[in-house]
Amino acid sequence: MNAEILAVGTELLMGQIVNTNAQYISRKLNDIGVNVYYHSVVGDNPGRLKDSLLTALNRCDLVVMTGGLGPTQDDLTKETVSLVLGKKLVLHEESLERISAFFSRINRKMTDNNAKQAYLPEDCIVVRNNNGTAPGCIIENNGKIVVMLPGPPSEMMPMFNDTVIPYLEQKSGYKIVSKFLRVFGIGESQLEELMLDLIDSQEKVTIATYAKDGQVTVRLTSKSRTEEEGLNEILPFQNEIASRLKDALYSTEDEELEYVASKMLLDNNITISTAESCTGGLISATLTDMPGISKVFMRGIISYSNESKMENLGVRPETLDKFGAVSSQTAAEMAEGVRKMASTDIGLSVTGIAGPEGGTDEKPIGLVYIALAHNSGTEIRELRLAGNRSRIRNMTVLNAFDMIRKYVMGLKG
Amino acid sequence: MNAEILAVGTELLMGQIVNTNAQYISRKLNDIGVNVYYHSVVGDNPGRLKDSLLTALNRCDLVVMTGGLGPTQDDLTKETVSLVLGKKLVLHEESLERISAFFSRINRKMTDNNAKQAYLPEDCIVVRNNNGTAPGCIIENNGKIVVMLPGPPSEMMPMFNDTVIPYLEQKSGYKIVSKFLRVFGIGESQLEELMLDLIDSQEKVTIATYAKDGQVTVRLTSKSRTEEEGLNEILPFQNEIASRLKDALYSTEDEELEYVASKMLLDNNITISTAESCTGGLISATLTDMPGISKVFMRGIISYSNESKMENLGVRPETLDKFGAVSSQTAAEMAEGVRKMASTDIGLSVTGIAGPEGGTDEKPIGLVYIALAHNSGTEIRELRLAGNRSRIRNMTVLNAFDMIRKYVMGLKG
């Protein structure tokens, strides 16, 4: 099956928003083995929308449309599809009740406009919207499938995932199952080399890698009759790859490294304090993204100045004099200092040069030290990072969470 | 003039990347008065690429293509355009020299593949690429214009801005000038109401508003013969709007609020220290995004626990007992404490409930206090924010930078 994703909305053509829906739907369709051949975007204009829909129906089996299901006169998607396919719009009572219930829940009066959203093409499969007023729908017509979903991603994504994907899987008669293995500390090409024999020998399970922002994802995909069968086919590959990647593999559930490490702290009740220089609070801000983290994270210090390193963290003046603020020695004393002051299980510190100023031949931009102090010593990681200020800071954060994760694993292993 | 933006690349259809190029080009084209009617994306497939190009040429005056100019066999954009328009590809000597110089600069050997990138359609206008190897080009043919640019945004954006936009402006014989006024603390609908008479009376200068993440932008656009003439037409509107918005207007140069406030601290040499609870370091992380901020920002404290509020900031136990950690009194003592400890001109603190847990009837999720302590007192802002943890934290950061900005303006006014 091949597909076109057709987004409707002048705000996309004005450049006010970016078409992330197309990316989301493309990924999901590729995951279940549907080939996406085209993306298109057209404005809220009846003639051009009609032409775009005809073009899409002419060249693809499946057309997934997003947007244009709102309550105003501008919103023309259902009307245009009905016209093109020769269908009537009929009132869907359940949708009307859901819309009306939605308005009483948020304590607002429902207008006649909103009732328009409950009219759907006859004989369609209704796609429920639990996060907004506009229902979506699926229409089968002359061997083609048209799917219509609302534009806001928070409404579209669960509707696509919960209703459209299972519908398409059922249509195809098989189930595509994917596992996402997340890796840190191994580059994409090195990773591919490590798995080359598996990639070359792949038959029922396909293996693909993606790199983004210093992290790599391995996708294992199987096409089977049931989810269980698919997972069973994937498992030996997953185990083999896991044994080759060792502790560079940090999640088999497509989670972020920061999340995995923060959750390990919470689950194991390991308390942490932070002392940041060049990251300026990014590590603590990332830690505190996690709801409930206050159980293990009590305090952090941002010590940009030498005075702060001495006064708040107890770094010795001699250390700063002899080795400088950006040194493994200073990093160690920062981590040990904050750990002691906060009486936590671990103390984590960062000092480095994020640029664009401040680099020297001896200590170039991108030189960063991370220290992790615990009850039996202090571990140091030296980084020499390339890129701009923002990349250097972000890569430092990832490395810090990698150190946290490996420390907790060591405790458990 | 109307336009289609046609992106070429299977990685877009796989959902590996999102088509931010289409957004960037759309904005720029709208800014100079070109109507964008369609976006499309097609993969690295010669047949489908050819069909998409023919469709685009059939329905638009201008086709801006991105991607497919790389050195490999997959990269087919120039070949397909030349085929469709009946042009030969000819060697462009200057581009070959530039590509060869690029490789010696990065100390790598140039391959024959890369020489392929110097072949361009005959009679085209070459668009120089200062950030990569693939030159772009502009072709005029039978009243239509085709622009080809490389896919990586870091290469495409300066090429589009520096060469394509001036080319299109010259074609049109006029110059579109825009000013972006950035506003905080007034909602989009209230803002529109404030400017309704101006919007209704607009003739030469068009006024539009955009809202995003709690900030609103007003765009003033004029179509004139020269940039100077355009700015002169805009100026009275800009001044009138500025006088109505008063200090809610924080930039006439399309800058972020955080940037404007941080720069004010730097320019006026006002030193700052921070004490954060619910934002967990987001304010200091945002401050330290700014290169050179270490001149005025020396330290920050993340005080998640009551112990830290007392030990690191000198908050009195009685205050915590009587009013609680989330109270204007605690916020004030945090700000005053960090200011005193760090000996800075201002001390900024935040305490609040970001959720999803921890809310009560009396102190619901979204209740936040920000305090700014300075040499003649302490200002408090109470926020009652809606939304999830992430939105509450981000809106708090914006409000904090708004307080900083207003404080510095008060000093100067």
Side-chain angles (χ1 to χ4, degrees):
Chain A
M1 190 186 283
N2 57 54
E4 173 155 351
I5 301 168
L6 172 56
V8 185
T10 301
E11 66 278 22
L12 286 159
L13 299 178
M14 297 288 287
Q16 286 163 14
I17 54 173
V18 65
N19 192 5
T20 53
N21 283 346
Q23 181 186 33
Y24 181 85
I25 294 169
S26 292
R27 274 203 194 158
K28 292 284 171 179
L29 289 178
N30 277 288
D31 284 351
I32 62 162
V34 174
N35 301 310
V36 178
Y37 277 175
Y38 302 94
H39 294 173
S40 10
V41 179
V42 65
D44 305 311
N45 171 290
R48 289 195 286 276
L49 175 52
K50 187 182 157 200
D51 290 347
S52 293
L53 177 61
L54 285 170
T55 303
L57 284 169
N58 193 39
R59 62 191 182 185
C60 288
D61 310 315
L62 166 68
V63 182
V64 181
M65 304 178 74
T66 57
L69 299 183
T72 71
Q73 295 295 332
D74 270 2
D75 295 297
L76 300 161
T77 301
K78 282 185 308 194
E79 290 73 7
T80 307
V81 171
S82 301
L83 187 75
V84 165
L85 301 183
K87 302 263 182 195
K88 263 189 289 197
L89 285 172
V90 293
L91 179 66
H92 185 244
E93 290 287 355
E94 190 202 318
S95 291
L96 186 64
E97 279 161 31
R98 292 178 64 84
I99 295 170
S100 148
F102 183 91
F103 277 93
S104 30
R105 207 161 57 240
I106 62 168
N107 255 326
R108 277 188 19 215
K109 204 175 137 28
M110 185 175 127
T111 63
D112 289 346
N113 280 347
N114 292 107
K116 168 182 174 244
Q117 298 188 298
Y119 282 81
L120 294 170
E122 53 189 340
D123 310 324
C124 72
I125 300 166
V126 179
V127 181
R128 269 197 197 175
N129 184 350
N130 292 321
N131 301 288
T133 54
C137 63
I138 302 171
I139 308 176
E140 298 178 8
N141 195 65
N142 287 330
K144 305 275 178 170
I145 301 170
V146 178
V147 176
M148 292 180 256
L149 297 170
S154 60
E155 300 177 31
M156 184 282 293
M157 292 191 294
M159 293 167 79
F160 191 75
N161 233 358
D162 299 344
T163 308
V164 181
I165 289 284
Y167 163 83
L168 292 171
E169 281 180 337
Q170 199 215 323
K171 273 269 140 192
S172 69
Y174 51 79
K175 177 96 187 152
I176 304 274
V177 181
S178 292
K179 267 282 187 185
F180 297 88
L181 314 186
R182 303 282 299 249
V183 183
F184 184 77
I186 296 185
E188 191 181 11
S189 51
Q190 195 192 341
L191 184 66
E192 263 187 16
E193 219 157 283
L194 263 170
M195 306 189 304
L196 211 56
D197 56 321
L198 300 175
I199 294 174
D200 284 347
S201 75
Q202 63 195 17
E203 281 178 31
K204 293 200 81 170
V205 174
T206 61
I207 304 174
T209 59
Y210 310 88
K212 202 188 154 202
D213 301 335
Q215 299 179 61
V216 188
T217 302
V218 181
R219 191 189 70 183
L220 301 171
T221 302
S222 135
K223 197 171 177 175
S224 319
R225 279 166 308 167
T226 66
E227 176 155 9
E228 199 191 345
E229 195 181 304
L231 287 172
N232 281 338
E233 277 170 0
I234 287 172
L235 194 62
F237 287 89
Q238 180 179 332
N239 289 340
E240 177 58 29
I241 292 170
S243 81
R244 294 185 191 188
L245 295 180
K246 303 195 178 69
D247 62 5
L249 174 68
Y250 66 81
S251 172
T252 57
E253 300 299 329
D254 204 18
E255 301 153 321
E256 302 295 320
L257 175 57
E258 303 91 315
Y259 172 84
V260 169
S262 301
K263 192 158 180 306
M264 278 182 161
L265 292 174
L266 260 180
D267 290 349
N268 294 283
N269 204 24
I270 296 169
T271 56
I272 183 170
S273 51
T274 57
E276 300 180 63
S277 184
C278 68
T279 43
L282 269 184
I283 291 175
S284 59
T286 308
L287 261 177
T288 57
D289 261 347
M290 180 94 173
I293 197 72
S294 61
K295 284 196 201 77
V296 296
F297 175 66
M298 283 92 183
R299 73 179 91 179
I301 302 289
I302 325 288
S303 59
Y304 244 50
S305 66
N306 280 350
E307 288 69 34
S308 171
K309 289 182 182 73
M310 294 184 283
E311 290 172 27
N312 294 109
L313 300 167
V315 174
R316 290 175 306 159
E318 310 88 81
T319 307
L320 289 166
D321 274 352
K322 195 165 167 195
F323 303 104
V326 179
S327 63
S328 60
Q329 293 83 356
T330 297
E333 292 190 15
M334 287 168 70
E336 289 155 9
V338 80
R339 175 175 180 263
K340 191 175 160 194
M341 176 194 84
S343 308
T344 48
D345 297 322
I346 59 180
L348 182 87
S349 78
V350 167
T351 179
I353 303 162
E357 309 286 319
T360 64
D361 283 350
E362 201 198 340
K363 296 189 176 179
I365 290 169
L367 177 67
V368 175
Y369 294 94
I370 309 177
L372 191 153
H374 49 74
N375 68 350
S376 49
T378 300
E379 291 159 29
I380 308 277
R381 187 178 288 190
E382 180 185 301
L383 305 175
R384 289 176 183 269
L385 298 166
N388 61 15
R389 182 177 178 88
S390 166
R391 182 176 185 274
I392 289 169
R393 285 163 39 110
N394 290 331
M395 287 303 300
T396 301
V397 172
L398 283 177
N399 272 281
F401 281 90
D402 185 52
M403 285 182 76
I404 293 172
R405 180 184 147 260
K406 288 191 174 143
Y407 168 73
V408 180
M409 284 172 58
L411 280 188
K412 289 157 81 183
Chain B
M1 189 185 284
N2 57 55
E4 172 154 351
I5 301 168
L6 172 56
V8 186
T10 302
E11 66 277 23
L12 286 159
L13 298 179
M14 298 287 289
Q16 286 163 14
I17 54 173
V18 65
N19 192 6
T20 54
N21 283 345
Q23 180 186 34
Y24 180 85
I25 294 170
S26 292
R27 271 201 198 161
K28 293 283 171 178
L29 289 178
N30 277 288
D31 283 351
I32 63 163
V34 174
N35 301 310
V36 178
Y37 278 176
Y38 303 94
H39 294 174
S40 11
V41 180
V42 65
D44 305 311
N45 171 291
R48 289 195 286 275
L49 175 52
K50 188 181 156 199
D51 290 346
S52 294
L53 178 61
L54 285 169
T55 303
L57 284 168
N58 193 40
R59 62 191 182 184
C60 287
D61 310 314
L62 166 68
V63 182
V64 181
M65 303 179 73
T66 57
L69 300 182
T72 72
Q73 295 293 331
D74 270 1
D75 295 297
L76 299 162
T77 301
K78 281 184 309 194
E79 291 72 7
T80 307
V81 172
S82 300
L83 187 76
V84 166
L85 302 183
K87 301 264 182 194
K88 264 188 291 198
L89 285 171
V90 294
L91 179 65
H92 185 245
E93 290 288 355
E94 191 201 317
S95 291
L96 185 63
E97 280 162 31
R98 290 176 67 83
I99 294 169
S100 145
F102 183 91
F103 278 92
S104 28
R105 207 159 59 238
I106 62 167
N107 258 325
R108 280 194 10 220
K109 206 175 132 37
M110 184 176 128
T111 63
D112 290 347
N113 280 349
N114 293 106
K116 166 179 176 250
Q117 298 188 297
Y119 282 81
L120 294 169
E122 55 189 338
D123 311 324
C124 73
I125 299 166
V126 179
V127 181
R128 270 197 197 174
N129 183 349
N130 292 321
N131 301 290
T133 56
C137 63
I138 302 170
I139 308 176
E140 299 177 7
N141 195 65
N142 286 333
K144 305 275 178 171
I145 301 170
V146 178
V147 176
M148 291 180 256
L149 297 171
S154 60
E155 300 177 30
M156 184 283 291
M157 291 191 294
M159 294 167 79
F160 191 76
N161 231 1
D162 300 345
T163 306
V164 181
I165 288 284
Y167 162 84
L168 291 172
E169 281 180 335
Q170 199 215 323
K171 274 269 143 192
S172 68
Y174 52 76
K175 178 97 188 151
I176 304 274
V177 181
S178 291
K179 268 284 187 183
F180 297 87
L181 314 187
R182 304 282 299 251
V183 182
F184 183 78
I186 296 185
E188 191 180 11
S189 51
Q190 194 192 344
L191 184 67
E192 264 187 16
E193 219 156 286
L194 262 170
M195 305 189 304
L196 211 55
D197 55 320
L198 300 175
I199 294 174
D200 284 347
S201 74
Q202 64 195 15
E203 281 179 32
K204 293 201 81 171
V205 175
T206 59
I207 303 173
T209 59
Y210 310 88
K212 202 188 155 202
D213 301 335
Q215 299 179 61
V216 188
T217 301
V218 181
R219 191 188 71 183
L220 301 172
T221 303
S222 134
K223 196 171 179 174
S224 320
R225 279 166 309 167
T226 66
E227 176 156 9
E228 200 192 344
E229 196 181 303
L231 288 172
N232 281 338
E233 276 171 0
I234 287 172
L235 194 62
F237 288 89
Q238 180 179 332
N239 289 341
E240 177 60 28
I241 293 170
S243 81
R244 295 184 191 187
L245 295 181
K246 301 196 179 68
D247 61 7
L249 173 68
Y250 66 81
S251 172
T252 57
E253 300 299 329
D254 205 17
E255 302 153 319
E256 301 296 321
L257 175 57
E258 303 91 317
Y259 172 84
V260 169
S262 301
K263 193 158 181 304
M264 276 182 162
L265 292 174
L266 261 179
D267 290 349
N268 294 283
N269 204 25
I270 296 169
T271 56
I272 183 169
S273 51
T274 57
E276 300 181 61
S277 183
C278 66
T279 45
L282 269 185
I283 291 175
S284 59
T286 308
L287 261 176
T288 58
D289 261 347
M290 181 94 173
I293 197 74
S294 61
K295 284 195 200 80
V296 296
F297 176 66
M298 282 92 183
R299 73 180 89 178
I301 302 290
I302 325 290
S303 58
Y304 244 51
S305 66
N306 280 351
E307 289 68 35
S308 172
K309 290 184 181 73
M310 293 184 283
E311 289 172 27
N312 294 111
L313 299 167
V315 174
R316 291 174 307 160
E318 309 88 82
T319 307
L320 290 166
D321 275 352
K322 193 163 167 196
F323 304 105
V326 178
S327 63
S328 61
Q329 291 84 355
T330 296
E333 290 190 16
M334 288 169 69
E336 289 155 9
V338 79
R339 175 174 181 262
K340 189 174 161 196
M341 176 194 83
S343 308
T344 49
D345 296 322
I346 59 181
L348 182 87
S349 78
V350 168
T351 180
I353 302 161
E357 308 286 317
T360 62
D361 282 350
E362 201 198 342
K363 295 189 176 179
I365 290 169
L367 177 67
V368 176
Y369 293 94
I370 309 177
L372 192 152
H374 48 75
N375 67 352
S376 47
T378 300
E379 292 159 28
I380 308 277
R381 187 179 290 189
E382 180 184 301
L383 305 175
R384 288 174 183 270
L385 298 166
N388 61 16
R389 182 175 178 91
S390 166
R391 181 174 186 275
I392 289 169
R393 284 164 39 110
N394 290 331
M395 286 304 298
T396 302
V397 172
L398 282 177
N399 272 281
F401 281 90
D402 185 53
M403 284 181 76
I404 293 173
R405 180 183 147 260
K406 289 192 174 142
Y407 169 73
V408 180
M409 283 173 60
L411 280 188
K412 290 157 81 183

